[in-house]
Amino acid sequence: ENKKCLIERYRFRGNSILNMITTGDIETILDELQEIQTKKDKIERFNWWVEHYYEVSVLISPDELPTPEKIEGKITNASKEVTRPYLLIHLAGSEEECKKLLEIVIQLKSKKTLEFKHPPTHIIKESGWYWTINLRLDFFDV
């Protein structure tokens, strides 16, 4: 309900910020902002992140897991558009669903569909009544 209100009020910007907070990507952004000296430049960089968040981060639904080719397509398409030397991938679901996504991502490398440093950085953790996985694929060349 809160998410729906936020999206209605702030549209795309609000949805981007909410997902950055929900996935924990806000920490990556805040780390990046610490390196910037001026307030104006910090605001510009934050606004860039809000505008381009879905070019850097892929959100996967548990409903997509039965069709690994769809997930592979989302990840490979996003990797072609990536504007950072990495891609962030997220899923919230059961522990098994999180492990399944990790397996799909690792298969992308073994099938040579996508080149990234191995193994992917990932955290699988329990978050109350569900589990989350946060993956980071670091690329060799961007």
Side-chain angles (χ1 to χ4, degrees):
E1 184 65 31
N2 289 338
K3 183 175 182 175
K4 184 178 176 184
C5 290
L6 185 74
I7 293 168
E8 286 176 6
R9 184 169 182 178
Y10 296 105
R11 308 258 186 267
F12 179 81
R13 181 176 178 82
N15 194 40
S16 290
I17 293 169
L18 179 65
N19 283 327
M20 286 188 284
I21 293 168
T22 303
T23 61
D25 288 340
I26 195 75
E27 292 176 30
T28 301
I29 298 159
L30 293 175
D31 288 344
E32 191 175 302
L33 292 177
Q34 285 182 340
E35 299 170 9
I36 300 172
Q37 300 299 314
T38 69
K39 182 178 180 179
K40 179 183 178 266
D41 290 341
K42 285 182 185 208
I43 291 169
E44 284 179 16
R45 179 68 57 90
F46 182 78
N47 287 335
W48 181 92
W49 268 99
V50 171
E51 181 70 26
H52 298 278
Y53 180 65
Y54 297 106
E55 296 168 17
V56 179
S57 184
V58 177
L59 307 178
I60 304 292
S61 166
D63 296 338
E64 296 172 297
L65 289 173
T67 53
E69 59 279 352
K70 182 177 180 180
I71 295 169
E72 290 175 2
K74 281 177 82 169
I75 293 170
T76 54
N77 287 338
S79 72
K80 293 174 188 171
E81 303 296 324
V82 73
T83 53
R84 293 281 189 260
Y86 54 83
L87 182 65
L88 306 169
I89 304 169
H90 306 283
L91 176 133
S94 70
E95 182 179 18
E96 293 77 28
E97 290 167 332
C98 292
K99 289 178 181 177
K100 178 68 176 171
L101 178 59
L102 179 60
E103 182 181 305
I104 291 168
V105 169
I106 290 172
Q107 286 175 0
L108 285 171
K109 175 135 177 115
S110 65
K111 293 191 300 188
K112 299 187 189 243
T113 305
L114 190 60
E115 288 296 321
F116 55 88
K117 296 177 185 175
H118 192 75
T121 306
H122 68 283
I123 298 170
I124 296 175
K125 63 181 179 182
E126 189 175 11
S127 298
W129 60 91
Y130 60 93
W131 287 74
T132 61
I133 182 168
N134 297 325
L135 287 142
R136 177 179 165 137
L137 304 183
D138 290 297
F139 299 111
F140 295 102
D141 295 316
V142 176

